[in-house]
Amino acid sequence: MRLQTKLIVIICSLLLLVIVFLSFLFQRMLAVTLKEQIGMRALNVAESVAAVPLVKDAFQQKEPHKQIQPFAEMIRRKTGAEYVVVGNKEGIRYSHPFPERIGKKMVGGDNEEVVRGKSIISEAVGSLGPSIRGKAPIFDQQGQVIGIVSVGFMIEDIQEVVWSYGIKIFLFSIIALLLGVIGSVMIARTVKKSIHGLEPKEIGLLYQEKQAILEAIREGIIAVNQDGLVTMVNKTATAMLECETEHNVLGKHILDIIPHSQLLDVIKTGKAEYDVEMVIGEQAVIANRIPIIDKNETVIGAVSTFRNKSELYRLTKELSQVKSYAEALRAQTHEFSNKLYVISGLIQLESYEEALELITKETNVQQDIVRFVMREIPDPVIGGLLIGKFNKASELKVHFDIDRQSSFRDIPSNIDRDHLVTIIGNIIDNAMEAVLQNGREEKRVTVFFTDLGEDLIIEVEDTGIGIEEKQGLQIFQKGFSTKSGMHHGYGLDLVKKSLMALHGYITYDTKIGKGTVFTVVIPKRTEDGRG
């Protein structure tokens, strides 16, 4: 059953149930109230008749009915009662709507309390049928009960009155039900329109898809409503905000979570902001802020996405490295073409020994470094990194050398290779950039590895420009760089974070204009015994 049909059926069923219940209750209350009012009316008439002196005096005569019957009939006609019966305390009638029943005993069996001097309202079956009757005692001058007055209204007449009201209630109920059906249709259509015509299953599926998409996105996402209260956040954002779960963020004001957030300004202006740098906790992030606008062009909230700037830097650096490798391969192709021309010329000049010597020299240099790496640094990830850096150094005209005393075979499996690549790669890159900045002819970068003892030790020595003393405390800070241009100042920060993850540390020794030696120490086993 579709949602719109289901809403109409549910609302109409509930409305019908309520209307039937209220109609029955109202009719029941009407019947009870009407009986109570008619009973009181009958009792008042009976007490009034019992107090009339004419009636009391008639009991002293031989034929009381001659005075009482006309008077009782007059009262009956004026009050609209079904009957006004007066009798003695034995229940013998002195008046009745049917004169032939005068002198006969009263019917109903409810005179006992009246004879004892008490006025009552009762419902009984008399000679005329079921009725509600009010009965009052007649007292003489000494206060003794000498007779009974019984005034009755037929239950059938009361039921006719109740039935006439019941028809009106039924008509009103039908009108109310029709109005309810029309209202339920309008409500169902409004609800359907507000949820864009989607069915509950479709909405549930969309919600699950949204949650999956949010968790699949590596960027932090946080959304707020018009009042600045957080309505949605993904796990990446909660991790960056250092909150345990989403429930610690949802429903809170954005300024309580991110004190310097500009999302409220975006809600006010309705203008999006892209690639804005900000700080969340201790992390520098790049944020995008976009207003949420409804179909009426009203800003109803805003959403922000943000990503760690270090990650963006890493991606940018990888892209720049790819471009550098492409340029290096182009240059290498050009260089090898020149060498091939030289070899071809030597062969044509029949200088075979010189040609062979040139070929051997070029081949031995490459094969020597590859064989050494395969033997002493068998880890394919680190070995591949070093071969790549060797090729890059060749194109940059930087002499890159791996100390032949190096050995890096015993690397525990618990040490993350990605962290090692980050540490080695960034330090070597910084060393190459330092020697290129130096005006000296000797441009050399030497790397030494050792896995002897309880630590892994990595040394990178360069003949670069060195590090000034005032810069020594800043080189490991995020964003600090001695190089001009964008996308610098993150390499050593990434090194520091990777070393923290591996429980290692880094030191350096430098001489201005002569070079720098960076030393990295990484324990093979941590304090918790892993390794």
Side-chain angles (χ1 to χ4, degrees):
M1 186 182 294
R2 298 181 65 82
L3 176 63
Q4 185 171 346
T5 306
K6 190 182 292 184
L7 284 175
I8 294 174
V9 170
I10 292 174
I11 294 174
C12 290
S13 300
L14 181 61
L15 187 61
L16 178 62
L17 183 64
V18 171
I19 289 174
V20 169
F21 175 75
L22 291 178
S23 299
F24 174 79
L25 181 63
F26 181 75
Q27 193 165 355
R28 179 67 180 168
M29 291 174 61
L30 176 64
V32 171
T33 303
L34 194 58
K35 285 183 179 181
E36 290 177 354
Q37 290 179 348
I38 289 178
M40 290 301 299
R41 181 180 172 186
L43 181 61
N44 290 334
V45 173
E47 288 177 341
S48 298
V49 171
V52 173
L54 184 149
V55 175
K56 294 182 179 182
D57 293 342
F59 272 79
Q60 306 300 323
Q61 300 178 10
K62 292 182 178 180
E63 296 180 341
H65 67 276
K66 290 185 177 180
Q67 290 186 354
I68 295 175
Q69 173 68 5
F71 177 74
E73 285 297 298
M74 180 193 69
I75 297 297
R76 183 182 68 81
R77 288 191 294 269
K78 286 185 176 181
T79 58
E82 189 68 26
Y83 59 83
V84 176
V85 176
V86 179
N88 60 21
K89 63 179 182 179
E90 286 79 21
I92 303 301
R93 300 188 187 102
Y94 291 152
S95 67
H96 196 277
F98 297 100
E100 64 271 15
R101 297 182 183 180
I102 295 175
K104 296 182 179 180
K105 194 173 180 63
M106 300 173 71
V107 179
D110 51 356
N111 290 335
E112 294 180 2
E113 292 188 47
V114 183
V115 171
R116 291 197 292 267
K118 184 178 179 181
S119 298
I120 65 168
I121 297 173
S122 68
E123 184 176 337
V125 179
S127 60
L128 298 178
S131 62
I132 293 178
R133 51 179 72 178
K135 291 196 172 189
I138 303 173
F139 298 96
D140 60 9
Q141 292 182 351
Q142 286 76 33
Q144 299 296 319
V145 176
I146 59 175
I148 300 170
V149 178
S150 178
V151 178
F153 292 86
M154 303 305 294
I155 291 179
E156 184 179 352
D157 296 335
I158 297 174
Q159 290 176 342
E160 287 181 0
V161 175
V162 173
W163 178 250
S164 65
Y165 277 104
I167 293 175
K168 295 178 182 179
I169 293 171
F170 177 74
L171 293 176
F172 280 120
S173 300
I174 294 297
I175 295 172
L177 183 60
L178 291 175
L179 292 175
V181 171
I182 296 172
S184 66
V185 172
M186 295 177 64
I187 291 172
R189 288 181 177 177
T190 303
V191 171
K192 190 77 171 177
K193 186 178 180 181
S194 65
I195 59 177
H196 305 286
L198 297 173
E199 293 297 317
K201 288 184 178 179
E202 296 173 330
I203 295 174
L205 181 60
L206 283 176
Y207 175 79
Q208 293 175 346
E209 290 177 349
K210 187 203 77 170
Q211 291 298 112
I213 291 171
L214 287 177
E215 301 310 326
I217 296 174
R218 295 185 63 186
E219 291 185 338
I221 302 176
I222 188 167
V224 299
N225 60 16
Q226 283 179 306
D227 300 322
L229 301 179
V230 178
T231 58
M232 185 272 294
V233 64
N234 67 348
K235 289 184 179 179
T236 304
T238 56
M240 296 180 71
L241 294 170
E242 297 181 351
C243 297
E244 294 182 359
T245 63
E246 300 175 7
H247 301 292
N248 296 336
V249 180
L250 293 175
K252 293 186 177 181
H253 199 277
I254 186 63
L255 295 181
D256 296 333
I257 306 300
I258 307 175
H260 304 293
S261 174
Q262 301 298 316
L263 276 177
L264 297 181
D265 295 335
V266 173
I267 294 174
K268 291 179 182 178
T269 62
K271 295 181 179 179
E273 299 178 354
Y274 299 98
D275 299 329
V276 180
E277 186 173 346
M278 63 178 295
V279 177
I280 296 180
E282 297 182 355
Q283 303 181 60
V285 299
I286 300 298
N288 296 315
R289 308 184 187 104
I290 303 172
I292 303 173
I293 302 175
D294 63 9
K295 62 181 180 180
N296 298 321
E297 300 298 323
T298 302
V299 179
I300 59 175
V303 61
S304 175
T305 63
F306 42 89
R307 189 164 186 176
N308 194 305
K309 193 173 180 180
S310 299
E311 293 185 14
L312 292 176
Y313 166 75
R314 180 175 58 80
L315 294 175
T316 303
K317 187 165 185 178
E318 288 179 0
L319 178 60
S320 64
Q321 286 179 350
V322 170
K323 293 174 68 177
S324 299
Y325 287 148
E327 294 295 330
L329 288 174
R330 189 178 294 109
Q332 190 176 32
T333 301
H334 181 71
E335 183 177 352
F336 273 95
S337 295
N338 291 334
K339 291 179 179 179
L340 286 175
Y341 287 132
V342 173
I343 294 171
S344 176
L346 291 173
I347 293 174
Q348 291 177 20
L349 294 174
E350 298 181 356
S351 300
Y352 302 118
E353 292 184 6
E354 287 82 356
L356 184 59
E357 183 180 350
L358 180 60
I359 293 171
T360 303
K361 178 182 177 183
E362 292 296 326
T363 303
N364 287 342
V365 172
Q366 184 73 22
Q367 289 183 346
D368 180 59
I369 188 70
V370 171
R371 283 195 298 266
F372 176 78
V373 169
M374 292 177 65
R375 185 178 67 253
E376 298 297 337
I377 310 175
D379 189 291
V381 175
I382 301 174
L385 172 68
L386 293 175
I387 297 299
K389 296 301 181 184
F390 176 81
N391 292 332
K392 180 181 178 181
S394 297
E395 300 308 322
L396 295 175
K397 305 302 180 184
V398 174
H399 183 74
F400 182 80
D401 187 28
I402 301 176
D403 194 306
R404 293 305 185 266
Q405 300 299 318
S406 296
S407 177
F408 221 51
R409 298 177 182 178
D410 183 20
I411 304 177
S413 59
N414 69 295
I415 295 181
D416 193 327
R417 269 43 176 185
D418 288 339
H419 287 316
L420 284 179
V421 168
T422 298
I423 295 167
I424 297 171
N426 279 286
I427 295 177
I428 292 176
D429 285 344
N430 283 351
M432 289 186 186
E433 291 175 359
V435 297
L436 290 174
Q437 290 180 348
N438 199 344
R440 297 166 56 187
E441 288 188 11
E442 184 183 18
K443 294 179 174 56
R444 177 184 295 273
V445 174
T446 304
V447 182
F448 172 73
F449 299 92
T450 180
D451 54 8
L452 299 177
E454 297 297 324
D455 301 311
L456 299 178
I457 299 175
I458 305 166
E459 286 188 358
V460 179
E461 181 180 1
D462 64 67
T463 57
I465 58 175
I467 301 172
E468 296 182 7
E469 184 177 354
K470 63 180 180 180
Q471 299 172 346
L473 298 176
Q474 297 177 297
I475 59 173
F476 295 104
Q477 294 180 4
K478 183 187 298 184
F480 177 80
S481 177
T482 59
K483 297 177 283 292
S484 60
M486 299 178 63
H487 308 303
H488 293 295
Y490 294 92
L492 289 178
D493 177 67
L494 292 174
V495 170
K496 182 180 69 174
K497 290 180 177 178
S498 294
L499 283 171
M500 289 176 63
L502 297 178
H503 304 281
Y505 62 91
I506 183 172
T507 62
Y508 70 91
D509 183 30
T510 184
K511 290 184 179 180
I512 301 299
K514 293 186 178 181
T516 304
V517 178
F518 279 94
T519 303
V520 173
V521 179
I522 301 172
K524 293 181 180 180
R525 295 181 179 272
T526 57
E527 293 181 359
D528 57 9
R530 291 182 300 172

